[in-house]
Amino acid sequence: MSETIRPLVAYLRVSTDRQGKSGLGLDAQRVALASFASAHGYTLTAEHVEVETGKGADALDRRPQLAAALAAARKAKCAVVVAKLDRLSRDVAFIAGLMAQRVPFVVAELGEGVDPFVLHMYAALAEKERAMISARTKAALAAKKAQGVRLGNRTNLAEASKAGQEANARAAAAFAANVLPVITSIQAAGVSSLRAVAAALNERGVTTARGGEWSASQVQRVLGRAG
């Protein structure tokens, strides 16, 4: 008699374009997930890797690979597994929103069978820690300013503008890299025209980088970046 397969959908995330390109952090997450699956009798049936940059990533429409992982897990009637809770988010509201998707999450670091309420508690603690760090940083900067210390470099506006443009370009490239596998899977299902691919993305609830609906030209731009 064959053993029953206990499927899990793996979700991995790195928070900078540099980490994503170098693979820094991804290998450690894969090892942790493989070890957890082996120890608890699971089979990792799919892997979704997200590369995100900058602020505003705590929104499902900025995480096409997380949306794809949720869809895959919902179809397979299984859970999504992450190495650590912060690979989902450090924001308790975002975690709560994910719980509302009615797809269970397993955090390898915390072990099997952790109650959703406990996950909320861990997320709340992480959010509180982040807020405390931010408050301490602001207080230190305010103290320096009160002492007459000039904060920031006012002489490198051109460099700052260039850095901003480069950051935007990296963010666009990272988003394209994340959404490309979704487009590829749609095309593999027999959808050939750019307009039809855009319609399929919209039907799946995958939004553009600006949170809008897809058009044929936007799909073409993503494919052009891949080329």
Side-chain angles (χ1 to χ4, degrees), residues 59-64 66-68 71 101 175 179 182 186 197-208 211-214:
L60 196 54
D61 59 7
R62 298 287 295 175
R63 303 263 198 97
L66 179 54
Q101 298 288 324
F175 180 82
V179 81
V182 182
I186 291 172
V197 171
L201 287 169
N202 293 330
E203 288 175 4
R204 293 188 182 195
V206 178
T207 61
T208 64
E213 292 196 342
W214 288 87

mmCIF file with all atom_site columns, all heavy atoms in Angstrom, residues 59-64 66-68 71 101 175 179 182 186 197-208 211-214:
data_model
loop_
_atom_site.group_PDB
_atom_site.id
_atom_site.type_symbol
_atom_site.label_atom_id
_atom_site.label_alt_id
_atom_site.label_comp_id
_atom_site.label_asym_id
_atom_site.label_entity_id
_atom_site.label_seq_id
_atom_site.pdbx_PDB_ins_code
_atom_site.Cartn_x
_atom_site.Cartn_y
_atom_site.Cartn_z
_atom_site.occupancy
_atom_site.B_iso_or_equiv
_atom_site.pdbx_formal_charge
_atom_site.auth_seq_id
_atom_site.auth_comp_id
_atom_site.auth_asym_id
_atom_site.auth_atom_id
_atom_site.pdbx_PDB_model_num
ATOM 1   N N   . ALA A 1 59  ? 1.813   43.978 0.832   1.00 0.00 ? 59  ALA A N   1
ATOM 2   C CA  . ALA A 1 59  ? 0.512   44.029 0.187   1.00 0.00 ? 59  ALA A CA  1
ATOM 3   C C   . ALA A 1 59  ? 0.487   42.882 -0.807  1.00 0.00 ? 59  ALA A C   1
ATOM 4   O O   . ALA A 1 59  ? 1.461   42.655 -1.517  1.00 0.00 ? 59  ALA A O   1
ATOM 5   C CB  . ALA A 1 59  ? 0.313   45.368 -0.530  1.00 0.00 ? 59  ALA A CB  1
ATOM 6   N N   . LEU A 1 60  ? -0.623  42.164 -0.822  1.00 0.00 ? 60  LEU A N   1
ATOM 7   C CA  . LEU A 1 60  ? -0.665  40.960 -1.643  1.00 0.00 ? 60  LEU A CA  1
ATOM 8   C C   . LEU A 1 60  ? -0.509  41.278 -3.124  1.00 0.00 ? 60  LEU A C   1
ATOM 9   O O   . LEU A 1 60  ? 0.053   40.483 -3.877  1.00 0.00 ? 60  LEU A O   1
ATOM 10  C CB  . LEU A 1 60  ? -1.985  40.207 -1.402  1.00 0.00 ? 60  LEU A CB  1
ATOM 11  C CG  . LEU A 1 60  ? -2.042  38.754 -1.880  1.00 0.00 ? 60  LEU A CG  1
ATOM 12  C CD1 . LEU A 1 60  ? -0.890  37.948 -1.299  1.00 0.00 ? 60  LEU A CD1 1
ATOM 13  C CD2 . LEU A 1 60  ? -3.380  38.133 -1.500  1.00 0.00 ? 60  LEU A CD2 1
ATOM 14  N N   . ASP A 1 61  ? -0.966  42.473 -3.550  1.00 0.00 ? 61  ASP A N   1
ATOM 15  C CA  . ASP A 1 61  ? -0.832  42.815 -4.967  1.00 0.00 ? 61  ASP A CA  1
ATOM 16  C C   . ASP A 1 61  ? 0.602   43.166 -5.346  1.00 0.00 ? 61  ASP A C   1
ATOM 17  O O   . ASP A 1 61  ? 0.913   43.323 -6.528  1.00 0.00 ? 61  ASP A O   1
ATOM 18  C CB  . ASP A 1 61  ? -1.779  43.953 -5.361  1.00 0.00 ? 61  ASP A CB  1
ATOM 19  C CG  . ASP A 1 61  ? -1.545  45.221 -4.562  1.00 0.00 ? 61  ASP A CG  1
ATOM 20  O OD1 . ASP A 1 61  ? -0.572  45.272 -3.790  1.00 0.00 ? 61  ASP A OD1 1
ATOM 21  O OD2 . ASP A 1 61  ? -2.335  46.165 -4.693  1.00 0.00 ? 61  ASP A OD2 1
ATOM 22  N N   . ARG A 1 62  ? 1.495   43.275 -4.342  1.00 0.00 ? 62  ARG A N   1
ATOM 23  C CA  . ARG A 1 62  ? 2.918   43.472 -4.613  1.00 0.00 ? 62  ARG A CA  1
ATOM 24  C C   . ARG A 1 62  ? 3.692   42.167 -4.482  1.00 0.00 ? 62  ARG A C   1
ATOM 25  O O   . ARG A 1 62  ? 4.906   42.158 -4.595  1.00 0.00 ? 62  ARG A O   1
ATOM 26  C CB  . ARG A 1 62  ? 3.500   44.506 -3.632  1.00 0.00 ? 62  ARG A CB  1
ATOM 27  C CG  . ARG A 1 62  ? 2.889   45.888 -3.742  1.00 0.00 ? 62  ARG A CG  1
ATOM 28  C CD  . ARG A 1 62  ? 3.336   46.598 -4.981  1.00 0.00 ? 62  ARG A CD  1
ATOM 29  N NE  . ARG A 1 62  ? 4.762   46.870 -4.980  1.00 0.00 ? 62  ARG A NE  1
ATOM 30  C CZ  . ARG A 1 62  ? 5.426   47.400 -5.993  1.00 0.00 ? 62  ARG A CZ  1
ATOM 31  N NH1 . ARG A 1 62  ? 4.787   47.666 -7.118  1.00 0.00 ? 62  ARG A NH1 1
ATOM 32  N NH2 . ARG A 1 62  ? 6.716   47.616 -5.899  1.00 0.00 ? 62  ARG A NH2 1
ATOM 33  N N   . ARG A 1 63  ? 2.973   41.077 -4.227  1.00 0.00 ? 63  ARG A N   1
ATOM 34  C CA  . ARG A 1 63  ? 3.595   39.776 -4.045  1.00 0.00 ? 63  ARG A CA  1
ATOM 35  C C   . ARG A 1 63  ? 2.948   38.750 -4.985  1.00 0.00 ? 63  ARG A C   1
ATOM 36  O O   . ARG A 1 63  ? 2.187   37.881 -4.545  1.00 0.00 ? 63  ARG A O   1
ATOM 37  C CB  . ARG A 1 63  ? 3.434   39.292 -2.611  1.00 0.00 ? 63  ARG A CB  1
ATOM 38  C CG  . ARG A 1 63  ? 3.978   40.214 -1.530  1.00 0.00 ? 63  ARG A CG  1
ATOM 39  C CD  . ARG A 1 63  ? 5.373   39.801 -1.088  1.00 0.00 ? 63  ARG A CD  1
ATOM 40  N NE  . ARG A 1 63  ? 5.684   40.405 0.206   1.00 0.00 ? 63  ARG A NE  1
ATOM 41  C CZ  . ARG A 1 63  ? 5.541   39.783 1.363   1.00 0.00 ? 63  ARG A CZ  1
ATOM 42  N NH1 . ARG A 1 63  ? 5.115   38.546 1.401   1.00 0.00 ? 63  ARG A NH1 1
ATOM 43  N NH2 . ARG A 1 63  ? 5.832   40.403 2.488   1.00 0.00 ? 63  ARG A NH2 1
ATOM 44  N N   . PRO A 1 64  ? 3.186   38.852 -6.291  1.00 0.00 ? 64  PRO A N   1
ATOM 45  C CA  . PRO A 1 64  ? 2.544   37.901 -7.220  1.00 0.00 ? 64  PRO A CA  1
ATOM 46  C C   . PRO A 1 64  ? 2.895   36.452 -6.938  1.00 0.00 ? 64  PRO A C   1
ATOM 47  O O   . PRO A 1 64  ? 2.071   35.553 -7.160  1.00 0.00 ? 64  PRO A O   1
ATOM 48  C CB  . PRO A 1 64  ? 3.050   38.346 -8.594  1.00 0.00 ? 64  PRO A CB  1
ATOM 49  C CG  . PRO A 1 64  ? 4.286   39.146 -8.326  1.00 0.00 ? 64  PRO A CG  1
ATOM 50  C CD  . PRO A 1 64  ? 4.044   39.814 -7.007  1.00 0.00 ? 64  PRO A CD  1
ATOM 51  N N   . LEU A 1 66  ? 3.511   35.143 -3.947  1.00 0.00 ? 66  LEU A N   1
ATOM 52  C CA  . LEU A 1 66  ? 2.733   34.727 -2.782  1.00 0.00 ? 66  LEU A CA  1
ATOM 53  C C   . LEU A 1 66  ? 1.292   34.445 -3.199  1.00 0.00 ? 66  LEU A C   1
ATOM 54  O O   . LEU A 1 66  ? 0.688   33.462 -2.750  1.00 0.00 ? 66  LEU A O   1
ATOM 55  C CB  . LEU A 1 66  ? 2.772   35.801 -1.693  1.00 0.00 ? 66  LEU A CB  1
ATOM 56  C CG  . LEU A 1 66  ? 1.973   35.505 -0.419  1.00 0.00 ? 66  LEU A CG  1
ATOM 57  C CD1 . LEU A 1 66  ? 2.372   34.156 0.176   1.00 0.00 ? 66  LEU A CD1 1
ATOM 58  C CD2 . LEU A 1 66  ? 2.155   36.613 0.604   1.00 0.00 ? 66  LEU A CD2 1
ATOM 59  N N   . ALA A 1 67  ? 0.749   35.300 -4.071  1.00 0.00 ? 67  ALA A N   1
ATOM 60  C CA  . ALA A 1 67  ? -0.602  35.058 -4.588  1.00 0.00 ? 67  ALA A CA  1
ATOM 61  C C   . ALA A 1 67  ? -0.657  33.724 -5.333  1.00 0.00 ? 67  ALA A C   1
ATOM 62  O O   . ALA A 1 67  ? -1.621  32.959 -5.205  1.00 0.00 ? 67  ALA A O   1
ATOM 63  C CB  . ALA A 1 67  ? -1.025  36.204 -5.499  1.00 0.00 ? 67  ALA A CB  1
ATOM 64  N N   . ALA A 1 68  ? 0.400   33.435 -6.109  1.00 0.00 ? 68  ALA A N   1
ATOM 65  C CA  . ALA A 1 68  ? 0.452   32.174 -6.851  1.00 0.00 ? 68  ALA A CA  1
ATOM 66  C C   . ALA A 1 68  ? 0.572   30.987 -5.895  1.00 0.00 ? 68  ALA A C   1
ATOM 67  O O   . ALA A 1 68  ? -0.031  29.930 -6.121  1.00 0.00 ? 68  ALA A O   1
ATOM 68  C CB  . ALA A 1 68  ? 1.628   32.183 -7.823  1.00 0.00 ? 68  ALA A CB  1
ATOM 69  N N   . ALA A 1 71  ? -2.806  30.329 -4.432  1.00 0.00 ? 71  ALA A N   1
ATOM 70  C CA  . ALA A 1 71  ? -3.673  29.669 -5.409  1.00 0.00 ? 71  ALA A CA  1
ATOM 71  C C   . ALA A 1 71  ? -3.319  28.192 -5.553  1.00 0.00 ? 71  ALA A C   1
ATOM 72  O O   . ALA A 1 71  ? -4.201  27.332 -5.619  1.00 0.00 ? 71  ALA A O   1
ATOM 73  C CB  . ALA A 1 71  ? -3.568  30.380 -6.759  1.00 0.00 ? 71  ALA A CB  1
ATOM 74  N N   . GLN A 1 101 ? -7.387  34.466 3.936   1.00 0.00 ? 101 GLN A N   1
ATOM 75  C CA  . GLN A 1 101 ? -7.417  33.791 2.642   1.00 0.00 ? 101 GLN A CA  1
ATOM 76  C C   . GLN A 1 101 ? -7.840  32.321 2.784   1.00 0.00 ? 101 GLN A C   1
ATOM 77  O O   . GLN A 1 101 ? -8.060  31.637 1.801   1.00 0.00 ? 101 GLN A O   1
ATOM 78  C CB  . GLN A 1 101 ? -6.023  33.834 1.997   1.00 0.00 ? 101 GLN A CB  1
ATOM 79  C CG  . GLN A 1 101 ? -5.521  35.230 1.696   1.00 0.00 ? 101 GLN A CG  1
ATOM 80  C CD  . GLN A 1 101 ? -6.249  35.858 0.527   1.00 0.00 ? 101 GLN A CD  1
ATOM 81  O OE1 . GLN A 1 101 ? -6.602  35.183 -0.433  1.00 0.00 ? 101 GLN A OE1 1
ATOM 82  N NE2 . GLN A 1 101 ? -6.448  37.158 0.605   1.00 0.00 ? 101 GLN A NE2 1
ATOM 83  N N   . PHE A 1 175 ? 9.995   43.059 -9.857  1.00 0.00 ? 175 PHE A N   1
ATOM 84  C CA  . PHE A 1 175 ? 8.581   42.743 -10.072 1.00 0.00 ? 175 PHE A CA  1
ATOM 85  C C   . PHE A 1 175 ? 8.407   41.897 -11.323 1.00 0.00 ? 175 PHE A C   1
ATOM 86  O O   . PHE A 1 175 ? 7.654   40.922 -11.329 1.00 0.00 ? 175 PHE A O   1
ATOM 87  C CB  . PHE A 1 175 ? 7.758   44.031 -10.196 1.00 0.00 ? 175 PHE A CB  1
ATOM 88  C CG  . PHE A 1 175 ? 6.291   43.777 -10.410 1.00 0.00 ? 175 PHE A CG  1
ATOM 89  C CD1 . PHE A 1 175 ? 5.458   43.505 -9.338  1.00 0.00 ? 175 PHE A CD1 1
ATOM 90  C CD2 . PHE A 1 175 ? 5.737   43.796 -11.686 1.00 0.00 ? 175 PHE A CD2 1
ATOM 91  C CE1 . PHE A 1 175 ? 4.104   43.247 -9.524  1.00 0.00 ? 175 PHE A CE1 1
ATOM 92  C CE2 . PHE A 1 175 ? 4.398   43.545 -11.885 1.00 0.00 ? 175 PHE A CE2 1
ATOM 93  C CZ  . PHE A 1 175 ? 3.574   43.275 -10.804 1.00 0.00 ? 175 PHE A CZ  1
ATOM 94  N N   . VAL A 1 179 ? 6.688   38.138 -11.576 1.00 0.00 ? 179 VAL A N   1
ATOM 95  C CA  . VAL A 1 179 ? 5.442   37.858 -12.295 1.00 0.00 ? 179 VAL A CA  1
ATOM 96  C C   . VAL A 1 179 ? 5.670   37.015 -13.544 1.00 0.00 ? 179 VAL A C   1
ATOM 97  O O   . VAL A 1 179 ? 4.736   36.394 -14.068 1.00 0.00 ? 179 VAL A O   1
ATOM 98  C CB  . VAL A 1 179 ? 4.732   39.192 -12.660 1.00 0.00 ? 179 VAL A CB  1
ATOM 99  C CG1 . VAL A 1 179 ? 5.326   39.829 -13.916 1.00 0.00 ? 179 VAL A CG1 1
ATOM 100 C CG2 . VAL A 1 179 ? 3.234   38.980 -12.850 1.00 0.00 ? 179 VAL A CG2 1
ATOM 101 N N   . VAL A 1 182 ? 4.403   33.430 -13.536 1.00 0.00 ? 182 VAL A N   1
ATOM 102 C CA  . VAL A 1 182 ? 2.942   33.365 -13.630 1.00 0.00 ? 182 VAL A CA  1
ATOM 103 C C   . VAL A 1 182 ? 2.514   33.481 -15.088 1.00 0.00 ? 182 VAL A C   1
ATOM 104 O O   . VAL A 1 182 ? 1.657   32.744 -15.573 1.00 0.00 ? 182 VAL A O   1
ATOM 105 C CB  . VAL A 1 182 ? 2.294   34.475 -12.783 1.00 0.00 ? 182 VAL A CB  1
ATOM 106 C CG1 . VAL A 1 182 ? 0.773   34.370 -12.834 1.00 0.00 ? 182 VAL A CG1 1
ATOM 107 C CG2 . VAL A 1 182 ? 2.780   34.412 -11.344 1.00 0.00 ? 182 VAL A CG2 1
ATOM 108 N N   . ILE A 1 186 ? 0.673   30.651 -17.605 1.00 0.00 ? 186 ILE A N   1
ATOM 109 C CA  . ILE A 1 186 ? -0.539  30.955 -18.375 1.00 0.00 ? 186 ILE A CA  1
ATOM 110 C C   . ILE A 1 186 ? -0.319  30.590 -19.843 1.00 0.00 ? 186 ILE A C   1
ATOM 111 O O   . ILE A 1 186 ? -1.178  29.979 -20.494 1.00 0.00 ? 186 ILE A O   1
ATOM 112 C CB  . ILE A 1 186 ? -0.907  32.452 -18.232 1.00 0.00 ? 186 ILE A CB  1
ATOM 113 C CG1 . ILE A 1 186 ? -1.380  32.736 -16.806 1.00 0.00 ? 186 ILE A CG1 1
ATOM 114 C CG2 . ILE A 1 186 ? -1.983  32.847 -19.239 1.00 0.00 ? 186 ILE A CG2 1
ATOM 115 C CD1 . ILE A 1 186 ? -1.583  34.209 -16.507 1.00 0.00 ? 186 ILE A CD1 1
ATOM 116 N N   . VAL A 1 197 ? -3.336  36.871 -22.262 1.00 0.00 ? 197 VAL A N   1
ATOM 117 C CA  . VAL A 1 197 ? -2.500  36.707 -21.070 1.00 0.00 ? 197 VAL A CA  1
ATOM 118 C C   . VAL A 1 197 ? -2.852  37.779 -20.041 1.00 0.00 ? 197 VAL A C   1
ATOM 119 O O   . VAL A 1 197 ? -2.973  37.501 -18.838 1.00 0.00 ? 197 VAL A O   1
ATOM 120 C CB  . VAL A 1 197 ? -1.003  36.771 -21.422 1.00 0.00 ? 197 VAL A CB  1
ATOM 121 C CG1 . VAL A 1 197 ? -0.151  36.826 -20.157 1.00 0.00 ? 197 VAL A CG1 1
ATOM 122 C CG2 . VAL A 1 197 ? -0.597  35.569 -22.260 1.00 0.00 ? 197 VAL A CG2 1
ATOM 123 N N   . ALA A 1 198 ? -3.016  39.025 -20.506 1.00 0.00 ? 198 ALA A N   1
ATOM 124 C CA  . ALA A 1 198 ? -3.390  40.124 -19.608 1.00 0.00 ? 198 ALA A CA  1
ATOM 125 C C   . ALA A 1 198 ? -4.726  39.835 -18.938 1.00 0.00 ? 198 ALA A C   1
ATOM 126 O O   . ALA A 1 198 ? -4.889  40.052 -17.723 1.00 0.00 ? 198 ALA A O   1
ATOM 127 C CB  . ALA A 1 198 ? -3.458  41.443 -20.385 1.00 0.00 ? 198 ALA A CB  1
ATOM 128 N N   . ALA A 1 199 ? -5.684  39.332 -19.707 1.00 0.00 ? 199 ALA A N   1
ATOM 129 C CA  . ALA A 1 199 ? -6.999  39.004 -19.144 1.00 0.00 ? 199 ALA A CA  1
ATOM 130 C C   . ALA A 1 199 ? -6.892  37.906 -18.097 1.00 0.00 ? 199 ALA A C   1
ATOM 131 O O   . ALA A 1 199 ? -7.550  37.959 -17.049 1.00 0.00 ? 199 ALA A O   1
ATOM 132 C CB  . ALA A 1 199 ? -7.946  38.573 -20.268 1.00 0.00 ? 199 ALA A CB  1
ATOM 133 N N   . ALA A 1 200 ? -6.024  36.913 -18.354 1.00 0.00 ? 200 ALA A N   1
ATOM 134 C CA  . ALA A 1 200 ? -5.838  35.815 -17.403 1.00 0.00 ? 200 ALA A CA  1
ATOM 135 C C   . ALA A 1 200 ? -5.213  36.324 -16.104 1.00 0.00 ? 200 ALA A C   1
ATOM 136 O O   . ALA A 1 200 ? -5.592  35.878 -15.010 1.00 0.00 ? 200 ALA A O   1
ATOM 137 C CB  . ALA A 1 200 ? -4.968  34.728 -18.026 1.00 0.00 ? 200 ALA A CB  1
ATOM 138 N N   . LEU A 1 201 ? -4.253  37.227 -16.208 1.00 0.00 ? 201 LEU A N   1
ATOM 139 C CA  . LEU A 1 201 ? -3.645  37.812 -15.003 1.00 0.00 ? 201 LEU A CA  1
ATOM 140 C C   . LEU A 1 201 ? -4.685  38.560 -14.184 1.00 0.00 ? 201 LEU A C   1
ATOM 141 O O   . LEU A 1 201 ? -4.725  38.455 -12.953 1.00 0.00 ? 201 LEU A O   1
ATOM 142 C CB  . LEU A 1 201 ? -2.502  38.751 -15.402 1.00 0.00 ? 201 LEU A CB  1
ATOM 143 C CG  . LEU A 1 201 ? -1.211  38.103 -15.908 1.00 0.00 ? 201 LEU A CG  1
ATOM 144 C CD1 . LEU A 1 201 ? -0.293  39.154 -16.508 1.00 0.00 ? 201 LEU A CD1 1
ATOM 145 C CD2 . LEU A 1 201 ? -0.492  37.353 -14.789 1.00 0.00 ? 201 LEU A CD2 1
ATOM 146 N N   . ASN A 1 202 ? -5.522  39.330 -14.879 1.00 0.00 ? 202 ASN A N   1
ATOM 147 C CA  . ASN A 1 202 ? -6.570  40.088 -14.187 1.00 0.00 ? 202 ASN A CA  1
ATOM 148 C C   . ASN A 1 202 ? -7.567  39.154 -13.510 1.00 0.00 ? 202 ASN A C   1
ATOM 149 O O   . ASN A 1 202 ? -8.025  39.413 -12.389 1.00 0.00 ? 202 ASN A O   1
ATOM 150 C CB  . ASN A 1 202 ? -7.291  41.013 -15.170 1.00 0.00 ? 202 ASN A CB  1
ATOM 151 C CG  . ASN A 1 202 ? -6.383  42.122 -15.681 1.00 0.00 ? 202 ASN A CG  1
ATOM 152 O OD1 . ASN A 1 202 ? -5.476  42.565 -14.977 1.00 0.00 ? 202 ASN A OD1 1
ATOM 153 N ND2 . ASN A 1 202 ? -6.615  42.574 -16.896 1.00 0.00 ? 202 ASN A ND2 1
ATOM 154 N N   . GLU A 1 203 ? -7.902  38.051 -14.182 1.00 0.00 ? 203 GLU A N   1
ATOM 155 C CA  . GLU A 1 203 ? -8.835  37.084 -13.598 1.00 0.00 ? 203 GLU A CA  1
ATOM 156 C C   . GLU A 1 203 ? -8.256  36.429 -12.355 1.00 0.00 ? 203 GLU A C   1
ATOM 157 O O   . GLU A 1 203 ? -8.981  36.089 -11.419 1.00 0.00 ? 203 GLU A O   1
ATOM 158 C CB  . GLU A 1 203 ? -9.181  36.010 -14.633 1.00 0.00 ? 203 GLU A CB  1
ATOM 159 C CG  . GLU A 1 203 ? -10.086 36.509 -15.759 1.00 0.00 ? 203 GLU A CG  1
ATOM 160 C CD  . GLU A 1 203 ? -10.301 35.451 -16.831 1.00 0.00 ? 203 GLU A CD  1
ATOM 161 O OE1 . GLU A 1 203 ? -9.801  34.319 -16.647 1.00 0.00 ? 203 GLU A OE1 1
ATOM 162 O OE2 . GLU A 1 203 ? -10.961 35.756 -17.842 1.00 0.00 ? 203 GLU A OE2 1
ATOM 163 N N   . ARG A 1 204 ? -6.938  36.235 -12.330 1.00 0.00 ? 204 ARG A N   1
ATOM 164 C CA  . ARG A 1 204 ? -6.282  35.607 -11.177 1.00 0.00 ? 204 ARG A CA  1
ATOM 165 C C   . ARG A 1 204 ? -6.080  36.585 -10.020 1.00 0.00 ? 204 ARG A C   1
ATOM 166 O O   . ARG A 1 204 ? -5.628  36.198 -8.951  1.00 0.00 ? 204 ARG A O   1
ATOM 167 C CB  . ARG A 1 204 ? -4.922  35.029 -11.582 1.00 0.00 ? 204 ARG A CB  1
ATOM 168 C CG  . ARG A 1 204 ? -5.015  33.858 -12.547 1.00 0.00 ? 204 ARG A CG  1
ATOM 169 C CD  . ARG A 1 204 ? -3.656  33.225 -12.740 1.00 0.00 ? 204 ARG A CD  1
ATOM 170 N NE  . ARG A 1 204 ? -3.686  32.120 -13.683 1.00 0.00 ? 204 ARG A NE  1
ATOM 171 C CZ  . ARG A 1 204 ? -2.718  31.226 -13.830 1.00 0.00 ? 204 ARG A CZ  1
ATOM 172 N NH1 . ARG A 1 204 ? -1.628  31.327 -13.090 1.00 0.00 ? 204 ARG A NH1 1
ATOM 173 N NH2 . ARG A 1 204 ? -2.807  30.252 -14.695 1.00 0.00 ? 204 ARG A NH2 1
ATOM 174 N N   . GLY A 1 205 ? -6.364  37.844 -10.256 1.00 0.00 ? 205 GLY A N   1
ATOM 175 C CA  . GLY A 1 205 ? -6.180  38.831 -9.202  1.00 0.00 ? 205 GLY A CA  1
ATOM 176 C C   . GLY A 1 205 ? -4.765  39.338 -9.069  1.00 0.00 ? 205 GLY A C   1
ATOM 177 O O   . GLY A 1 205 ? -4.416  39.979 -8.080  1.00 0.00 ? 205 GLY A O   1
ATOM 178 N N   . VAL A 1 206 ? -3.914  39.047 -10.068 1.00 0.00 ? 206 VAL A N   1
ATOM 179 C CA  . VAL A 1 206 ? -2.538  39.556 -10.064 1.00 0.00 ? 206 VAL A CA  1
ATOM 180 C C   . VAL A 1 206 ? -2.554  40.963 -10.656 1.00 0.00 ? 206 VAL A C   1
ATOM 181 O O   . VAL A 1 206 ? -3.007  41.158 -11.779 1.00 0.00 ? 206 VAL A O   1
ATOM 182 C CB  . VAL A 1 206 ? -1.609  38.646 -10.890 1.00 0.00 ? 206 VAL A CB  1
ATOM 183 C CG1 . VAL A 1 206 ? -0.193  39.217 -10.919 1.00 0.00 ? 206 VAL A CG1 1
ATOM 184 C CG2 . VAL A 1 206 ? -1.601  37.232 -10.323 1.00 0.00 ? 206 VAL A CG2 1
ATOM 185 N N   . THR A 1 207 ? -2.077  41.934 -9.912  1.00 0.00 ? 207 THR A N   1
ATOM 186 C CA  . THR A 1 207 ? -2.090  43.307 -10.390 1.00 0.00 ? 207 THR A CA  1
ATOM 187 C C   . THR A 1 207 ? -0.724  43.712 -10.925 1.00 0.00 ? 207 THR A C   1
ATOM 188 O O   . THR A 1 207 ? 0.274   43.029 -10.705 1.00 0.00 ? 207 THR A O   1
ATOM 189 C CB  . THR A 1 207 ? -2.489  44.284 -9.267  1.00 0.00 ? 207 THR A CB  1
ATOM 190 O OG1 . THR A 1 207 ? -1.527  44.201 -8.209  1.00 0.00 ? 207 THR A OG1 1
ATOM 191 C CG2 . THR A 1 207 ? -3.870  43.946 -8.723  1.00 0.00 ? 207 THR A CG2 1
ATOM 192 N N   . THR A 1 208 ? -0.689  44.844 -11.606 1.00 0.00 ? 208 THR A N   1
ATOM 193 C CA  . THR A 1 208 ? 0.570   45.386 -12.107 1.00 0.00 ? 208 THR A CA  1
ATOM 194 C C   . THR A 1 208 ? 1.378   45.955 -10.942 1.00 0.00 ? 208 THR A C   1
ATOM 195 O O   . THR A 1 208 ? 0.911   45.990 -9.803  1.00 0.00 ? 208 THR A O   1
ATOM 196 C CB  . THR A 1 208 ? 0.316   46.498 -13.133 1.00 0.00 ? 208 THR A CB  1
ATOM 197 O OG1 . THR A 1 208 ? -0.342  47.592 -12.458 1.00 0.00 ? 208 THR A OG1 1
ATOM 198 C CG2 . THR A 1 208 ? -0.565  46.001 -14.269 1.00 0.00 ? 208 THR A CG2 1
ATOM 199 N N   . GLY A 1 211 ? -0.430  48.423 -9.065  1.00 0.00 ? 211 GLY A N   1
ATOM 200 C CA  . GLY A 1 211 ? -1.696  47.996 -8.469  1.00 0.00 ? 211 GLY A CA  1
ATOM 201 C C   . GLY A 1 211 ? -2.889  48.045 -9.399  1.00 0.00 ? 211 GLY A C   1
ATOM 202 O O   . GLY A 1 211 ? -4.030  47.920 -8.945  1.00 0.00 ? 211 GLY A O   1
ATOM 203 N N   . GLY A 1 212 ? -2.649  48.218 -10.693 1.00 0.00 ? 212 GLY A N   1
ATOM 204 C CA  . GLY A 1 212 ? -3.755  48.300 -11.647 1.00 0.00 ? 212 GLY A CA  1
ATOM 205 C C   . GLY A 1 212 ? -3.958  47.006 -12.417 1.00 0.00 ? 212 GLY A C   1
ATOM 206 O O   . GLY A 1 212 ? -3.392  45.969 -12.096 1.00 0.00 ? 212 GLY A O   1
ATOM 207 N N   . GLU A 1 213 ? -4.801  47.088 -13.456 1.00 0.00 ? 213 GLU A N   1
ATOM 208 C CA  . GLU A 1 213 ? -5.060  45.921 -14.289 1.00 0.00 ? 213 GLU A CA  1
ATOM 209 C C   . GLU A 1 213 ? -4.073  45.847 -15.439 1.00 0.00 ? 213 GLU A C   1
ATOM 210 O O   . GLU A 1 213 ? -3.503  46.851 -15.866 1.00 0.00 ? 213 GLU A O   1
ATOM 211 C CB  . GLU A 1 213 ? -6.499  45.973 -14.838 1.00 0.00 ? 213 GLU A CB  1
ATOM 212 C CG  . GLU A 1 213 ? -7.564  45.798 -13.763 1.00 0.00 ? 213 GLU A CG  1
ATOM 213 C CD  . GLU A 1 213 ? -8.913  45.473 -14.374 1.00 0.00 ? 213 GLU A CD  1
ATOM 214 O OE1 . GLU A 1 213 ? -9.100  45.713 -15.592 1.00 0.00 ? 213 GLU A OE1 1
ATOM 215 O OE2 . GLU A 1 213 ? -9.788  44.977 -13.642 1.00 0.00 ? 213 GLU A OE2 1
ATOM 216 N N   . TRP A 1 214 ? -3.904  44.631 -15.939 1.00 0.00 ? 214 TRP A N   1
ATOM 217 C CA  . TRP A 1 214 ? -2.932  44.388 -16.996 1.00 0.00 ? 214 TRP A CA  1
ATOM 218 C C   . TRP A 1 214 ? -3.501  44.710 -18.366 1.00 0.00 ? 214 TRP A C   1
ATOM 219 O O   . TRP A 1 214 ? -4.695  44.550 -18.621 1.00 0.00 ? 214 TRP A O   1
ATOM 220 C CB  . TRP A 1 214 ? -2.503  42.917 -16.975 1.00 0.00 ? 214 TRP A CB  1
ATOM 221 C CG  . TRP A 1 214 ? -1.630  42.576 -15.822 1.00 0.00 ? 214 TRP A CG  1
ATOM 222 C CD1 . TRP A 1 214 ? -2.029  42.203 -14.576 1.00 0.00 ? 214 TRP A CD1 1
ATOM 223 C CD2 . TRP A 1 214 ? -0.206  42.602 -15.789 1.00 0.00 ? 214 TRP A CD2 1
ATOM 224 N NE1 . TRP A 1 214 ? -0.945  41.987 -13.771 1.00 0.00 ? 214 TRP A NE1 1
ATOM 225 C CE2 . TRP A 1 214 ? 0.191   42.216 -14.484 1.00 0.00 ? 214 TRP A CE2 1
ATOM 226 C CE3 . TRP A 1 214 ? 0.777   42.902 -16.736 1.00 0.00 ? 214 TRP A CE3 1
ATOM 227 C CZ2 . TRP A 1 214 ? 1.519   42.123 -14.113 1.00 0.00 ? 214 TRP A CZ2 1
ATOM 228 C CZ3 . TRP A 1 214 ? 2.102   42.804 -16.352 1.00 0.00 ? 214 TRP A CZ3 1
ATOM 229 C CH2 . TRP A 1 214 ? 2.470   42.429 -15.059 1.00 0.00 ? 214 TRP A CH2 1
#
